[in-house]
Amino acid sequence: MSDENTVDYGPLTKLIGTWKGDKGTDIAPEPDGQENNPYYETIVFSAIGTVENAETQVLAVLHYRQIVQRKSNDEVFHDETGYWMWDAANATIMHSLTIPRGVCVLAGGKHNGGANADGSLVLEVKAGIDDKNWSVVQSPFMQENARTTSFSHRITVDDTQMQYCETTMLEIYGRSFEHTDENTLSRQP
Ligand code: HEM
């Protein structure tokens, strides 16, 4: 890995740091319907430098950890970690994530590196079980009982605020379910 401080993280640069938000909305499956969980969370993105693949591809990498707590009882009910990677030569963003249910996702998307007129950036990645590039790995139990079929994640970030919405499509309890999460977070000093 290179010296993390001299690396150009491209469109991921604005993510680096600690973020907190308490306006989270989670819609999750229940056997006879859905649960709506208001939540708060902390996400820490750390710049960790570059990696080189096959002596050709250079990725600038952030590691992140996301801890999500229910407003109703402060219980941690979602714990996620992974990496965001920027492949400048191919104008591609990758987002790998793992959650402790036996589910891993590698999502990808294109990015031209540019910002919107107001200085904000939009990062968008997707994965699907039938996509040959960006896909999902899940345990035999989850394949059978709570299969993730697709994942999409869109972040809008500027110097002080980050907003995201995520949609995870599930096959669970004999039906297809749109599991969604969204929140607005503020950069911490
Ligand atoms: C802020 C983000 C998220 C929150 C707060 C959240 C929360 C929840 C909750 C409350 C459930 C219902 C089951 C339970 O009560 O434990 C659930 C189910 C599930 N979630 Fe998430 N989730 C989030 C993101 C994700 C992501 C990114 C994935 C995978 C890509 C995912 C995959 C699943 C799966 C497969 C289930 C079905 C398991 C079950 O209901 O028994 N979730 N989630």
Side-chain angles (χ1 to χ4, degrees):
M1 310 272 311
S2 60
D3 174 3
E4 67 271 15
N5 299 315
T6 59
V7 170
D8 178 4
Y9 295 95
L12 306 181
T13 307
K14 282 193 196 296
L15 295 177
I16 298 165
T18 298
W19 300 82
K20 286 183 189 287
D22 62 1
K23 296 177 179 56
T25 316
D26 167 68
I27 299 178
E30 292 246 288
D32 51 1
Q34 65 180 47
E35 56 180 84
N36 294 31
N37 302 296
Y39 65 82
Y40 61 96
E41 67 182 320
T42 302
I43 312 180
V44 179
F45 292 90
S46 316
I48 62 166
T50 56
V51 294
E52 198 177 88
N53 287 326
E55 298 194 354
T56 319
Q57 183 188 49
V58 178
L59 302 177
V61 185
L62 307 187
H63 173 259
Y64 76 96
R65 179 89 190 274
Q66 177 182 16
I67 302 287
V68 184
Q69 289 171 265
R70 262 186 233 273
K71 280 193 185 174
S72 58
N73 59 7
D74 297 322
E75 172 205 4
V76 174
F77 75 129
H78 184 79
D79 182 333
E80 183 184 312
T81 192
Y83 299 93
W84 283 82
M85 295 151 273
W86 167 233
D87 175 354
N90 292 297
T92 298
I93 311 171
M94 295 183 244
H95 173 202
S96 67
L97 73 88
T98 181
I99 56 170
R101 293 183 185 278
V103 179
C104 305
V105 177
L106 179 64
K110 287 286 181 187
H111 201 285
N112 64 15
N116 295 329
D118 64 1
S120 67
L121 278 159
V122 177
L123 309 171
E124 197 161 14
V125 291
K126 292 183 176 178
I129 50 169
D130 296 324
D131 189 312
K132 72 177 172 44
N133 295 319
W134 313 113
S135 198
V136 182
V137 181
Q138 48 203 323
S139 70
F141 180 89
M142 297 305 271
Q143 292 272 8
E144 279 296 310
N145 298 288
R147 178 201 294 250
T148 298
T149 55
S150 68
F151 170 77
S152 65
H153 189 181
R154 183 184 160 95
I155 299 181
T156 306
V157 60
D158 64 22
D159 291 334
T160 56
Q161 281 225 321
M162 173 199 311
Q163 208 176 357
Y164 72 80
C165 45
E166 262 177 12
T167 302
T168 308
M169 288 306 302
L170 301 175
E171 295 292 334
I172 186 168
Y173 308 130
R175 66 189 200 276
S176 177
F177 187 88
E178 193 174 275
H179 175 24
T180 59
D181 293 282
E182 48 189 78
N183 201 1
T184 301
L185 297 90
S186 303
R187 179 185 289 286
Q188 302 302 295

